[in-house]
Amino acid sequence: RITPQLLKASTGEFALESILLLKLRGRGIAHLGCLGDCTNLEWLDLSGNAIAQLGPLAALKSLAVLNLSRNRVASLEPLGSCRNLQSLNLAGNRLGSLQQLRCLTGLRRLESLRLRDPLARLANPLCAAPAYRAALADMFPGLKAIDGERVSGRGSELYQLCRDLDSSLGRGGGGGAGTEPPGAAQPWVEAGFWEPRPPRRSSIMEEAYKQFGEVLQECRELSRRADDTIAQAERALSGRPDPNSYVF
């Protein structure tokens, strides 16, 4: 259970209202306790716990990033009050239908929503539906990323190209009878394309190098002159009689 003592020990803050970032990953937490008192919290990681009820999160009006992956969440109603929420990770929970996400449609700032994480082998039951990603995009038109892949904005074209390429390879890569073995793989770019190119110097850099060389040469000349002057002074001093040699 989250207690004031746990929060203060984890963050070093004396007042719960001062906590802006909180990471309580893999602590075996089942109850959120007094977490709602962290009213200015902006970044929260509760992944890898045993959380099922999200009630206290409704008080976190400033929360922008929330990670609830690998928990036991089946209801998201309290999150509908987190008006500033921008990124939400729910991979590895117990969400069985898209209807359970309707309460989030009022979050106008929500840009990233994750329900599935293939690398970590996390998902939700609703991810078994073949078109759940398209349904999510329709339900949340403001989303820029679903399950970590860009669906709009800069970079989305690249993700679409990769999906189209995967689909075409999947249709053509059956390897059935009568197919000819593939030939030797050819490089996609010309030879030498990946070779490092010599660094280019701008005219400003060239002038700077030139002036630096001139100053260095002048310093060396001054150093040589100083050595000559010191040597002459030492010779002049060594030729004088030692005053201590006189006897009175």
Side-chain angles (χ1 to χ4, degrees):
R1 186 183 188 90
I2 295 180
T3 63
Q5 292 77 17
L6 174 62
L7 293 174
K8 293 177 181 180
S10 301
T11 63
E13 298 287 349
F14 290 99
L16 300 187
E17 297 85 357
S18 301
I19 301 176
L20 302 180
L21 184 150
L22 182 60
K23 183 178 180 180
L24 295 175
R25 179 183 298 177
R27 299 289 191 95
I29 296 171
H31 301 283
L32 296 182
C34 65
L35 187 58
D37 294 334
C38 303
T39 52
N40 293 312
L41 195 62
E42 298 177 359
W43 191 98
L44 176 60
D45 186 351
L46 292 171
S47 60
N49 287 290
I51 299 167
Q53 302 296 327
L54 304 180
L57 298 185
L60 306 183
K61 307 299 183 182
S62 300
L63 192 62
V65 178
L66 175 60
N67 187 349
L68 284 169
S69 62
R70 286 189 298 131
N71 277 282
R72 303 174 182 176
V73 177
S75 175
L76 303 174
E77 293 292 338
L79 298 184
S81 300
C82 301
R83 299 298 181 184
N84 284 309
L85 198 60
Q86 299 175 22
S87 177
L88 177 60
N89 187 345
L90 294 167
N93 280 279
R94 299 179 177 178
L95 301 171
S97 70
L98 290 173
Q99 293 301 321
Q100 293 171 286
L101 301 175
R102 291 286 179 188
C103 58
L104 305 180
T105 54
L107 302 180
R108 302 305 179 188
R109 297 188 178 184
L110 189 63
E111 295 183 352
S112 175
L113 178 60
R114 183 184 285 275
L115 297 174
R116 180 173 174 268
D117 188 345
L119 294 179
R121 298 182 179 180
L122 298 175
N124 282 271
L126 66 85
C127 298
Y132 86 93
R133 284 171 52 87
L136 275 181
D138 292 338
M139 187 182 298
F140 300 95
L143 285 180
K144 294 182 178 179
I146 296 178
D147 295 344
E149 295 187 8
R150 300 285 292 187
V151 294
S152 67
R154 186 175 182 180
S156 58
E157 297 85 357
L158 177 59
Y159 279 103
Q160 185 59 47
L161 177 62
C162 292
R163 284 194 294 270
D164 293 343
L165 182 60
D166 288 340
S167 300
S168 62
L169 291 175
R171 287 193 297 268
T179 58
E180 297 181 0
Q186 298 297 321
W188 289 8
V189 295
E190 298 179 359
F193 180 83
W194 300 110
E195 294 295 329
R197 294 176 173 81
R200 297 177 58 187
R201 292 181 179 176
S202 65
S203 58
I204 297 178
M205 290 297 295
E206 291 289 350
E207 181 63 23
Y209 274 110
K210 180 181 177 181
Q211 293 183 13
F212 177 76
E214 293 174 353
V215 172
L216 183 60
Q217 183 63 31
E218 184 177 352
C219 290
R220 289 173 177 170
E221 179 63 23
L222 291 174
S223 178
R224 185 187 64 78
R225 293 179 183 177
D227 290 340
D228 292 343
T229 302
I230 293 173
Q232 292 176 7
E234 289 177 345
R235 286 195 297 269
L237 292 173
S238 62
R240 293 181 180 180
D242 186 359
N244 294 326
S245 64
Y246 294 102
V247 177
F248 295 95

